[in-house]
Amino acid sequence: MSIVRSLLTRRAFTALAGAAVLATMTPAASMAQDVTIPIIVKDTTSFYWQIVLAGARQAGKDLGVNVPELGAQSESDINGQISILENAVAGGPAAVVISPTEFKALGKPVDEAAKSVPIIGIDSAADSKAFTSFLTTDNVQGGRIAADGLAAAIKAATGKEEGKIAIITSLPGVGSLDQRREGFLDQVKTKYPGLEVVADKYADGQATTGLNMMTDLITANPDLVGVFASNLIMAQGVGQAIAENKLGDKIKVIGFDSDEKTVGFLKEGVLAGLVVQDPYRMGYDGVKTALAASKKEKVEAFVDTGANLVTKDNMSDPKIDALLNPKI
């Protein structure tokens, strides 16, 4: 009986020790999963924003954080994004990562949300000083890069940096787009006096509108030599118009951001170049920064995530290829 009792005692001790180990481990594991940091993008259907979400998703896996992927289905759904932000904050997250759809309209909602949790901004600004940190491309510089790329493409085709050009902005009032337009127009004015901006148009965020606008520009300006399409959707629409009219050799187009369609246009010579950001990094570092902010750690107030001009000549470079073909 003493041997049996001894075995039982050792088994009981082992079981209790195992339970004690589980008791010390489970809360930590549970706490990691209990940390929730939603990311709210402008449009969950867009390839660009899917790359942002992929970066955020990977950060969540690497850091052991729950990252709900939220957003409207159109960049023009401003009220939808405001509601999503309010609902996300009401859920009591550790922090929130957001790319505001519209500068003015998201200002007060961001101010209000920041009273409860740290707010990390990515990509586009809002009329608020309540962001704990902001990670974005320097969009003014991005516009300048686009102007330089367009001037170079026009010179390569005609032998001079001269002629009529146009700019098509996807939506009015969007911080990142307004900054790209500002940088582009300023660079053209100060550096390329031979380029004349004959059209400065705003669309409604739809590729079809960009297509129609470009078609009208071709008709109204038969001597047009260049266009800057300030985001992915406009690059798709403008590129389609150029392709349908077989004008890639005559009208040089610089787009912004990339997807399979625009990269195809670049390979075919329909587009002369694309200014490409690093959306994967924005998503990943946005969540990483949000987690640090939620722990009261010091974070940078502003982080420039960079932009590069992609052309047919450099698109196979390893660094550029990684931007064009991100892991999603």
Side-chain angles (χ1 to χ4, degrees):
M1 290 293 293
S2 60
I3 295 173
V4 173
R5 186 178 295 112
S6 175
L7 286 170
L8 287 173
T9 301
R10 275 183 285 177
R11 286 173 183 168
F13 176 80
T14 303
L16 285 170
V21 171
L22 286 173
T24 59
M25 291 177 62
T26 303
S30 176
M31 281 177 64
Q33 292 304 314
D34 285 348
V35 175
T36 295
I37 299 175
I39 181 167
I40 305 170
V41 297
K42 297 180 183 180
D43 176 3
T44 57
T45 69
S46 164
F47 182 71
Y48 176 84
W49 295 110
Q50 287 170 12
I51 298 171
V52 173
L53 293 176
R57 190 181 311 128
Q58 187 60 49
K61 291 177 182 177
D62 292 347
L63 301 171
V65 174
N66 180 34
V67 182
E69 300 172 12
L70 309 174
Q73 294 192 330
S74 169
E75 292 197 18
S76 60
D77 188 3
I78 298 167
N79 290 332
Q81 192 186 54
I82 292 172
S83 295
I84 291 168
L85 173 60
E86 291 171 346
N87 291 335
V89 172
V96 172
V97 180
I98 185 171
S99 176
T101 53
E102 205 273 340
F103 182 78
K104 289 289 185 184
L106 268 292
K108 288 184 179 179
V110 168
D111 285 342
E112 194 62 31
K115 294 176 182 178
S116 302
V117 295
I119 304 295
I120 307 302
I122 59 171
D123 185 79
S124 295
D127 189 12
S128 171
K129 295 181 179 178
F131 290 105
T132 302
S133 181
F134 201 85
L135 298 86
T136 185
T137 302
D138 181 340
N139 282 290
V140 173
Q141 178 61 17
R144 294 192 186 107
I145 292 170
D148 290 341
L150 186 59
I154 292 170
K155 184 175 182 180
T158 67
K160 51 190 177 181
E161 296 168 344
E162 295 179 6
K164 295 180 179 180
I165 64 172
I167 177 170
I168 299 179
T169 301
S170 184
L171 286 164
V174 178
S176 58
L177 302 184
D178 288 346
Q179 290 164 4
R180 292 171 198 172
R181 174 182 173 275
E182 174 193 339
F184 178 83
L185 293 174
D186 181 67
Q187 190 80 338
V188 168
K189 181 180 178 181
T190 58
K191 193 173 178 181
Y192 306 107
L195 296 178
E196 178 189 0
V197 180
V198 296
D200 182 2
K201 295 185 174 293
Y202 287 95
D204 60 0
Q206 303 298 318
T208 303
T209 305
L211 167 62
N212 294 336
M213 280 185 168
M214 189 64 224
T215 302
D216 291 343
L217 281 172
I218 291 168
T219 302
N221 302 275
D223 51 353
L224 194 71
V225 296
V227 177
F228 172 40
S230 74
N231 83 336
L232 176 62
I233 304 300
M234 289 304 103
Q236 291 172 347
V238 170
Q240 189 64 40
I242 296 294
E244 290 177 1
N245 289 278
K246 296 182 172 61
L247 290 171
D249 290 337
K250 182 181 178 183
I251 302 177
K252 299 303 175 182
V253 178
I254 301 294
F256 217 101
D257 298 327
S258 67
D259 67 353
E260 186 176 357
K261 185 170 186 176
T262 54
V263 170
F265 282 154
L266 187 62
K267 290 178 180 177
E268 295 162 10
V270 173
L271 300 179
L274 296 167
V275 180
V276 177
Q277 307 178 78
D278 194 344
Y280 189 92
R281 180 185 171 189
M282 283 187 205
Y284 191 100
D285 286 0
V287 170
K288 184 178 178 181
T289 302
L291 180 61
S294 74
K295 296 177 178 178
K296 310 296 184 185
E297 296 174 7
K298 185 178 180 181
V299 297
E300 295 291 331
F302 179 85
V303 178
D304 180 3
T305 52
N308 296 270
L309 178 67
V310 180
T311 65
K312 196 172 182 179
D313 292 336
N314 73 358
M315 64 190 302
S316 61
D317 292 354
K319 177 185 175 182
I320 300 299
D321 182 69
L323 295 173
L324 295 179
N325 300 288
K327 300 174 184 178
I328 63 170

